Amino acid sequence: MKRSLLLAQALMAWPTAPALAADPVNGERLARRWCAACHVVSEKQTGTVSEAPPFPVVARRPDFSERAVAFFLLDPHPKMPDMALTRAEAADLAAYIATMK
Ligand code: HEC
């Protein structure tokens, strides 16, 4: 909760939000490749690292925002490896997560 607030504030201070002509299909491909080791990345997948929130859970949070997730992914927090995603990739991943709302 605290982090989402910080995120929201960071977003508002961020002058150029990513262009969200995002591609959720590419996002799913990226998620399976880069994120599935820790996260449940789809409704079908089972089993995960307990600490990492499943993407369907992230998507259904009341404060979920595609922009916030895309922004979050560009600046990974310490528990996640720096995946050096491009803005387009981060937006695609966020768009993919949003499909699970
Ligand atoms: C090495 C394990 C690992 C990998 C790989 C990983 N994550 Fe995470 N992720 C975590 C953990 C652990 C958390 C929870 C950290 C926390 O609450 O501090 C997290 C949290 C998140 C969150 C939730 C942030 C929030 O608001 O609670 C999102 C969204 C997320 N990851 C997306 C991704 C995406 C997209 C990828 C692939 C590009 C990815 N993660 C790859 C471990 C990982």
Side-chain angles (χ1 to χ4, degrees), residues 1 3-4 7 27 30-39 41 49-55 58-59 61 63-64 68-70 72-73 76-81 83 85 89-90 93-94 96-97:
M1 200 58 208
R3 176 177 305 122
S4 335
L7 254 175
L30 293 168
R32 290 185 190 283
R33 178 157 177 204
W34 296 110
C35 323
C38 299
H39 290 271
V41 302
V49 171
S50 53
E51 251 187 316
F55 288 176
V58 173
R61 284 190 194 146
D63 61 347
F64 174 80
V69 168
F72 166 82
L73 289 174
H77 54 289
K79 283 186 189 164
M80 273 167 58
M83 290 165 284
L85 298 166
E89 287 169 335
L93 280 159
Y96 168 60
I97 293 173

Side-chain angles (χ1 to χ4, degrees), residues 11-77:
L11 255 181
M12 280 182 256
W14 200 26
T16 47
L20 285 177
D23 176 0
V25 175
N26 186 47
E28 176 170 13
R29 194 178 56 79
L30 293 168
R32 290 185 190 283
R33 178 157 177 204
W34 296 110
C35 323
C38 299
H39 290 271
V40 168
V41 302
S42 80
E43 310 271 4
K44 288 155 241 157
Q45 187 192 336
T46 52
T48 184
V49 171
S50 53
E51 251 187 316
F55 288 176
V57 169
V58 173
R60 285 185 206 118
R61 284 190 194 146
D63 61 347
F64 174 80
S65 137
E66 220 174 295
R67 278 177 52 180
V69 168
F71 183 78
F72 166 82
L73 289 174
L74 290 177
D75 185 19
H77 54 289

